Amino acid sequence: MKTNLFVLLLFLVSTSVQLLAQETDVFQKDGIAIRGYDPVAYFKQSKPVKGQETISHDWNGVKWLFSSEENKEDFKANPEKFAPQFGGYCAYGLSENHKSPTEPEAFTIMDDKLYLNYNLKVKELWKKDIPGRIKKANDFWPALMSKTAKQ
């Protein structure tokens, strides 16, 4: 009886921790934001650059990786400037009222803000009406925050 109760308690704790870990306003995998890419590099180098585990900063409940100490310090000074909009979830998907993961190569910088998309094909759809899609995504985002995305 004690063994069964212990196993049940262990299962409940494990399940609760997993569910809490999945609910975040930042697209992350294994606690690392935006697939480990450097958010500052999108602005400085105009391309996705993989960050390094050894150069990281915890912000908004997840670990962000950077390709240089300078980028890390820039992010720390103003994370809202460099972090992708909608927590790095697909901006097009959000405009369709759902959260979706993103690929690093499918990005747009518009009005000095970083937007990520599910893939390059979706980015082409996004580009047809970026201002309209941003408005729709902004409208849906509050209700979608903290809902688990399809990985």
Side-chain angles (χ1 to χ4, degrees), residues 3-132:
T3 303
N4 289 343
L5 186 58
F6 177 74
V7 169
L8 177 62
L9 182 60
L10 187 61
F11 171 77
L12 290 173
V13 169
S14 173
T15 302
S16 297
V17 168
Q18 288 175 352
L19 288 174
L20 288 173
Q22 291 176 357
E23 293 184 13
T24 179
D25 295 336
V26 176
F27 172 60
Q28 56 86 28
K29 184 169 176 152
D30 300 326
I32 298 177
I34 62 171
R35 298 191 189 277
Y37 280 76
D38 181 341
V40 178
Y42 284 101
F43 294 90
K44 289 184 171 183
Q45 295 174 258
S46 300
K47 66 179 183 179
V49 177
K50 192 81 168 152
Q52 300 176 40
E53 272 288 333
T54 56
I55 308 173
S56 68
H57 174 66
D58 290 340
W59 180 73
N60 212 11
V62 296
K63 182 187 284 189
W64 297 77
L65 304 184
F66 302 91
S67 57
S68 71
E69 284 291 336
E70 181 183 337
N71 284 5
K72 174 184 164 181
E73 292 307 314
D74 288 347
F75 185 87
K76 284 173 65 175
N78 193 356
E80 288 84 7
K81 176 182 177 173
F82 296 106
Q85 300 301 293
F86 314 117
Y89 286 99
C90 177
Y92 182 89
L94 284 161
S95 75
E96 294 288 314
N97 199 21
H98 63 86
K99 276 185 175 178
S100 297
T102 52
E103 289 296 327
E105 297 79 20
F107 76 96
T108 305
I109 294 179
M110 177 80 163
D111 297 329
D112 212 27
K113 294 181 181 180
L114 173 62
Y115 296 92
L116 298 173
N117 289 120
Y118 180 74
N119 60 26
L120 293 174
K121 186 175 180 180
V122 170
K123 180 184 173 185
E124 291 305 312
L125 297 171
W126 161 256
K127 286 171 41 178
K128 290 179 181 179
D129 182 16
I130 293 174

